[in-house]
Amino acid sequence: MAGMATTPASPHRTSPARTDPVVAGASELIGGPPGRHALPGAGRSWWTPLRVLMLLVTLTCVLGYAQKSGCRDTRNWTDEYQYTRMCYSDVVALYSQEGLVDGKIPYLDYPTEYPPVIGGAMQLVSSLAGLGSAPAAVFRTDKAGAQVFDHYSMDSRSALFYDLTALLFLVAACVAVFCTALTMAPSRIWDAALLALAPTLALHLLTNWDVLAVAFAAGGLLAWSRRAPRLAGILFGLGVVTKLYPALFLLGLAVLCLRTGRMREWARTVVYAVGAAVAVMLPVWLTAGYFDGTTKVSDGIWSTFWGGGDWVALLDGEQAGAHNGLQRFFELNSERGADWDSLAFATTWLAGKYDTGWFAPLHLVVLAVGLAVAGATAALAVRRWPWLRAQVIGTAVGCWLILLVATPLVLGAVRDHGIPVGTLNVLTAIGLVLAVVGILALALLAPRRPRVPQVVLLLVIAFLLTNKVFSPQYTIWLLPLLPLLALARPRWRLFLVWQACEIWVLFTRFMHFIYNDTSGSDGIDRGWFVSAVVLRDLMLCVVAAFVVREILRPELDVVRDGGVDDPAGGILDGAPDVRGGRLGLLLPSRPWARAVPAGPFAPGGDPLGPGSETPVPGGEPAGLVGVVEPPSPRPGDGQEKE
């Protein structure tokens, strides 16, 4: 790490204070953006960008620890304290709920609801937290000289478990930022501050154990970018057995490797990912106990084998109605209903709250989205097959009319019967498959091969929006991907708006929990919370729309502005296509060009203020300092011009 941190910086490194309006405004606190002759990073200061980023993420994690520190004392978990202070943490709650406080070992003595790496982290930390003292009764002397009970002392075991877990999460967050910064193009390393300073990182660092999966995913992406597919596979595999979402990284890499003919490297990555996952899960499967609910009814396969029992009967994970402790995670996810923050939950509430006739709010939203999708698809199809104009338009109108008629019927059924868990599982699976197929088709057929973070971000957003569970801490899954994208043109502005929506969801969530617990005497009703969830999901759709826009119009990609292709691509970086790219035939055949406005935030602009507009030769109006023309595919060859 030290060797990497002290590597001489590129004199062409982009300074966010010169390219982003939000950062430029914030830089006024320390004297404003650097001048036009400054070369950020060209000096030999010990404070390299990587070290500054480590300091920033450490400060963010400390802030997150302080924000939730009131809940480390379990005596405070009364009178809605954990909600009014927004300090609720599964780290504290599950320490007792999972039996860790009583010395139980995950999977062996209790069917932990999380994948093996999280269970291992819980056990590692709890073995040290057990050195703390249990709560004890504290007495005081009354006026008569008698000893009377006053209060209980703090459970230092729970507090120590929280503190040690926070330290582990700090390391994981630093690893995530470190790997993300090194995965980026050297000229854009400062964009990693999007992760290091993310407000939701502070709010959700200690909500659950997700940051461990984020660290593995970021490490796997760094290894892939450094052309180390085996190491990438191992890290992605460890991420999958921490939280399943890193599997989406492998899916995104698959379609990009297919487009460039690099499937051998991808297959090697998958083999090592599967090997790492099996190496973790197999020992747990063999040693885990068998449980009926949370009651242990049988020892594991390994213990039964050495005890001379019928261990063969345990290999299928079943034993007289009991299940292997490792299955708890999968059973819980298949049996649980729609979670609070999911669109399925919002749909159920809206269907029951409002009239399911023509004026239902959800009906109007579905019609608007359907009209936009049908119109855009029809426009592209008509351009490709103009002789089928009437048939294409008729099909689009027919699909939209089906939505018009079917939506009230579906809402009525949901209002009367709800959404059974089995039906919900099928619907979410169908929604996810359709979204994934669309994203993979976009990646394969786009005019120019998308960058790895673009495809992976779209896959993660699709998973979050279609899943029946969208826990608040899932938002940090997206954080390492956003710096690698530079998040379209608005960058920090769009990022902060999305972060504000996430904070609003968390606030309304806790306030609604208070409303439920107090029978409506305090807090806010469900409508506020559902509206916050819908607003957050719409904001994620906006982020995805910016990414799709840059995939379809690669000349707008700010990362590729610097002459690079895909810094996170590894073997894909600069690789020519062997298939795909056919979507360019459907897009408008205009010469793609983008005029960059002069000023303090334009490449080459005057950072000291406006007024430096330079006319462009050839009759361009004043205020335009350059035109960027990206490579475009030749019709019919499926490959971009290099």
Side-chain angles (χ1 to χ4, degrees):
M1 176 175 177
M4 293 181 182
T6 56
T7 300
S10 169
H12 304 293
R13 180 176 295 132
T14 301
S15 171
R18 300 176 63 177
T19 59
D20 191 283
V22 175
V23 180
S27 69
E28 295 296 337
L29 297 174
I30 56 174
R36 76 168 69 186
H37 299 296
L39 294 176
R44 286 289 184 174
S45 171
W46 188 86
W47 286 106
T48 61
L50 200 55
R51 288 184 174 128
V52 173
L53 289 170
M54 292 298 100
L55 175 62
L56 293 178
V57 69
T58 300
L59 293 176
T60 300
C61 293
V62 170
L63 179 62
Y65 173 86
Q67 191 270 324
K68 293 187 183 297
S69 60
C71 282
R72 67 190 289 272
D73 187 348
T74 54
R75 296 174 300 178
N76 291 334
W77 287 56
T78 58
D79 301 323
E80 315 301 330
Y81 179 94
Q82 66 273 27
Y83 300 142
T84 57
R85 273 67 171 184
M86 294 179 63
C87 66
Y88 173 86
S89 171
D90 283 338
V91 173
V92 178
L94 295 183
Y95 180 62
S96 57
Q97 181 178 319
E98 297 284 317
L100 298 170
V101 67
D102 300 319
K104 293 183 177 180
I105 301 176
Y107 310 113
L108 274 68
D109 303 319
Y110 192 89
T112 303
E113 63 184 65
Y114 293 105
V117 171
I118 292 182
M122 296 167 70
Q123 173 59 27
L124 173 65
V125 177
S126 66
S127 62
L128 300 175
L131 300 176
S133 58
V138 177
F139 297 87
R140 60 179 175 83
T141 304
D142 63 8
K143 295 181 179 179
Q147 294 291 310
V148 296
F149 173 79
D150 186 68
H151 64 276
Y152 280 104
S153 63
M154 183 176 70
D155 188 347
S156 61
R157 299 169 301 176
S158 178
L160 185 57
F161 183 77
Y162 175 87
D163 294 341
L164 294 175
T165 302
L167 183 61
L168 176 63
F169 289 177
L170 169 63
V171 174
C174 289
V175 169
V177 173
F178 180 84
C179 293
T180 300
L182 293 182
T183 305
M184 307 180 69
S187 63
R188 303 206 62 92
I189 190 172
W190 283 114
D191 285 331
L194 285 167
L195 169 58
L197 294 175
T200 52
L201 180 62
L203 283 176
H204 292 309
L205 179 72
L206 280 155
T207 298
N208 204 282
W209 283 262
D210 292 68
V211 71
L212 300 179
V214 171
F216 283 124
L221 202 55
L222 173 61
W224 178 267
S225 72
R226 298 302 173 92
R227 303 171 184 260
R230 295 180 179 85
L231 178 58
I234 292 173
L235 293 174
F236 285 139
L238 293 176
V240 168
V241 290
T242 306
K243 287 282 186 175
L244 293 180
Y245 94 96
L248 297 172
F249 287 61
L250 296 172
L251 190 59
L253 291 173
V255 68
L256 296 177
C257 288
L258 177 64
R259 181 164 177 168
T260 56
R262 300 301 181 94
M263 293 302 293
R264 180 177 299 179
E265 290 83 352
W266 177 81
R268 187 179 297 118
T269 302
V270 171
V271 167
Y272 276 82
V274 172
V278 170
V280 172
M281 295 186 67
L282 183 60
V284 178
W285 176 265
L286 294 176
T287 56
Y290 283 71
F291 301 87
D292 183 3
T294 58
T295 303
K296 186 174 182 179
V297 299
S298 173
D299 288 331
I301 298 172
W302 189 253
S303 299
T304 304
F305 171 78
W306 285 107
D310 184 11
W311 61 275
V312 177
L314 302 177
L315 291 177
D316 62 352
E318 306 288 336
Q319 172 64 24
H323 305 281
N324 188 288
L326 190 59
Q327 293 182 229
R328 174 62 176 166
F329 169 74
F330 302 99
E331 293 173 356
L332 180 64
N333 282 277
S334 63
E335 297 171 357
R336 68 192 303 179
D339 196 53
W340 292 91
D341 297 59
S342 66
L343 286 176
F345 182 87
T347 302
T348 303
W349 179 79
L350 285 170
K353 182 70 174 178
Y354 294 103
D355 179 21
T356 56
W358 303 110
F359 301 102
L362 187 58
H363 186 201
L364 297 177
V365 172
V366 170
L367 292 182
V369 174
L371 181 61
V373 173
T377 303
L380 291 175
V382 167
R383 177 175 179 80
R384 181 66 179 85
W385 303 289
W387 59 90
L388 298 176
R389 179 187 300 271
Q391 294 88 334
V392 168
I393 294 177
T395 302
V397 172
C399 293
W400 187 79
L401 289 176
I402 291 175
L403 283 178
L404 180 70
V405 175
T407 303
L409 299 178
V410 172
L411 290 174
V414 172
R415 182 176 186 175
D416 296 338
H417 308 292
I419 307 179
V421 173
T423 303
L424 180 61
N425 291 340
V426 173
L427 292 176
T428 54
I430 292 175
L432 178 60
V433 169
L434 291 177
V436 168
V437 169
I439 293 168
L440 297 183
L442 173 65
L444 183 62
L445 301 176
R448 183 176 180 182
R449 173 178 42 79
R451 293 186 290 113
V452 170
Q454 290 175 318
V455 178
V456 173
L457 180 74
L458 291 178
L459 289 172
V460 174
I461 289 178
F463 176 81
L464 293 177
L465 294 183
T466 59
N467 197 18
K468 65 179 180 179
V469 180
F470 191 164
S471 297
Q473 69 274 8
Y474 288 3
T475 184
I476 66 175
W477 296 0
L478 298 167
L479 293 180
L481 297 170
L482 298 177
L484 300 173
L485 287 170
L487 205 60
R489 289 296 158 193
R491 292 200 295 276
W492 272 94
R493 187 176 300 163
L494 179 61
F495 173 76
L496 292 177
V497 171
W498 167 58
Q499 292 286 282
C501 291
E502 293 286 358
I503 294 172
W504 180 241
V505 167
L506 184 64
F507 174 77
T508 55
R509 190 182 214 263
F510 286 153
M511 292 302 103
H512 180 55
F513 286 175
I514 295 173
Y515 180 88
N516 288 342
D517 292 347
T518 60
S519 301
S521 60
D522 292 306
I524 58 178
D525 66 18
R526 188 160 295 177
W528 285 94
F529 171 61
V530 170
S531 65
V533 170
V534 173
L535 179 63
R536 185 271 313 280
D537 290 348
L538 288 175
M539 197 63 218
L540 285 177
C541 290
V542 171
V543 173
F546 271 103
V547 177
V548 172
R549 176 172 175 259
E550 292 191 352
I551 290 176
L552 295 178
R553 297 187 61 187
E555 77 278 8
L556 298 179
D557 189 342
V558 295
V559 174
R560 281 174 166 162
D561 267 354
V564 298
D565 178 37
D566 186 359
I571 59 172
L572 304 174
D573 188 20
D577 289 345
V578 298
R579 58 180 61 85
R582 300 294 179 180
L583 192 59
L585 300 177
L586 299 179
L587 297 175
S589 56
R590 63 179 182 273
W592 280 338
R594 177 173 53 80
V596 183
F601 311 121
D606 185 357
L608 301 179
S612 60
E613 292 86 350
T614 303
V616 176
E620 292 291 346
L624 303 181
V625 299
V627 176
V628 178
E629 295 187 2
S632 58
R634 293 190 299 270
D637 67 359
Q639 298 185 17
E640 68 267 23
K641 294 169 63 178
E642 293 296 329

